[in-house]
Amino acid sequence: MASYTLREVRQTINQLWDESTAAGWDRVGLAIGNPEQPVTHALLAVDVTRQIVAEAKERGADLLLTHHPLLLRGVHSLAEDTAKGSLAAALIRANIAQIAAHTNADQAMEGVSAEIAHRLGLNNLEPLEPGETEQTGIGRVGELADPLPLRKFAEMLSEILPETAGGVRVAGSEKQMVKRVALCGGAGDSLLNNQRVLTADVYVTSDLRHHPAQEALEQHLVAGGPALIDISHWAAESLWLATAAKQLGELLPEITITVSEINTDPWVFRV
Ligand SMILES: [Zn+2]
């Protein structure tokens, strides 16, 4: 079976999502694996969970490439009665390497937020916070070809996302018109006061909590600002996996690349 070394695969991953462009607090790149080990099959997923590791084993994958890092915060033990220790041990025993492309994939030109923007058909895209070039950076803002009432826009957004228990939650009036759309894949409440967010008609992101959302909406009543839409963190970021797999496949034609079909949204039902 054809293969590359993990070192070669990591270099290729770096061509697409340069580790050096990740945020200072982030921990991207290789977390588990020997650079000389062969890679024949990469499985792509948003998260490293027990279910995803089991899926990687079942599929015979020897690399798990995820959006979220396995080890973002410091750990002081890999004991297997800890979640991180148990996941790391399972990967090592199965000879599965693990690499994360997180904020380096968020800010890429064809990265996580750009993917959501493309699926919504937004034009004239710009990042919310520019990165190294004008086309890269965190979040995106762009325009719909034809304005839509907020309710219709939310319905369109719901259609491009995989189904989740939380669905799509909207703060705003159903009839207000939306043309300029700001969005940020993942948890984007730190950008609620971003100038490009404030001048958009709607801001789409994930993990919006009561106080930041309510305070932003009250501020918008006195100074103007967008409607807010809260979507599943997993659903938003999972859209990027297919594009990532395609880009990687073009650079690594000798190996199998698959995208996980497991929903790792923590919320599984609503009553
Ligand atoms: Zn995320």
Side-chain angles (χ1 to χ4, degrees), residues 46-47 67-69 102 106 112 185-187 206-207 233-234 237:
V46 172
D47 299 293
H67 184 49
H68 293 140
H102 191 211
D106 284 329
V112 179
S206 306
D207 300 342
H233 189 138
W234 167 80
E237 294 181 337

Side-chain angles (χ1 to χ4, degrees), residues 126-235:
E126 291 178 315
L128 295 176
E129 286 193 346
E132 297 198 326
T133 70
E134 280 179 25
Q135 298 299 309
T136 65
I138 297 297
R140 291 292 183 274
V141 62
E143 283 172 0
L144 293 167
D146 298 305
L148 284 175
L150 181 58
R151 184 178 183 92
K152 285 268 175 250
F153 173 75
E155 286 168 358
M156 180 173 78
L157 179 60
S158 158
E159 275 166 25
I160 67 158
L161 294 168
E163 208 174 322
T164 51
V168 170
R169 301 188 299 170
V170 188
S173 130
E174 295 195 16
K175 292 190 176 132
Q176 72 188 87
M177 297 305 284
V178 171
K179 180 159 176 78
R180 197 165 168 76
V181 178
L183 58 90
C184 182
D189 63 357
S190 64
L191 294 172
L192 281 167
N193 293 317
N194 175 283
Q195 205 48 41
R196 286 175 174 169
V197 168
L198 290 175
T199 53
D201 300 314
V202 65
Y203 179 44
V204 179
T205 190
S206 306
D207 300 342
L208 286 178
R209 291 170 299 138
H210 175 92
H211 287 298
Q214 193 177 60
E215 281 164 21
L217 291 165
E218 289 298 312
Q219 179 64 22
H220 300 167
L221 291 177
V222 294
L228 301 178
I229 299 187
D230 184 83
I231 58 178
S232 152
H233 189 138
W234 167 80

Side-chain angles (χ1 to χ4, degrees), residues 12 30 65 77 85 120 135 137 155 157 178 180 183 187-188 249 251-252 269:
T12 304
L30 185 63
L65 172 63
S77 161
L120 287 171
Q135 298 299 309
E155 286 168 358
L157 179 60
V178 171
R180 197 165 168 76
L183 58 90
L251 297 175
L252 299 170
F269 68 91

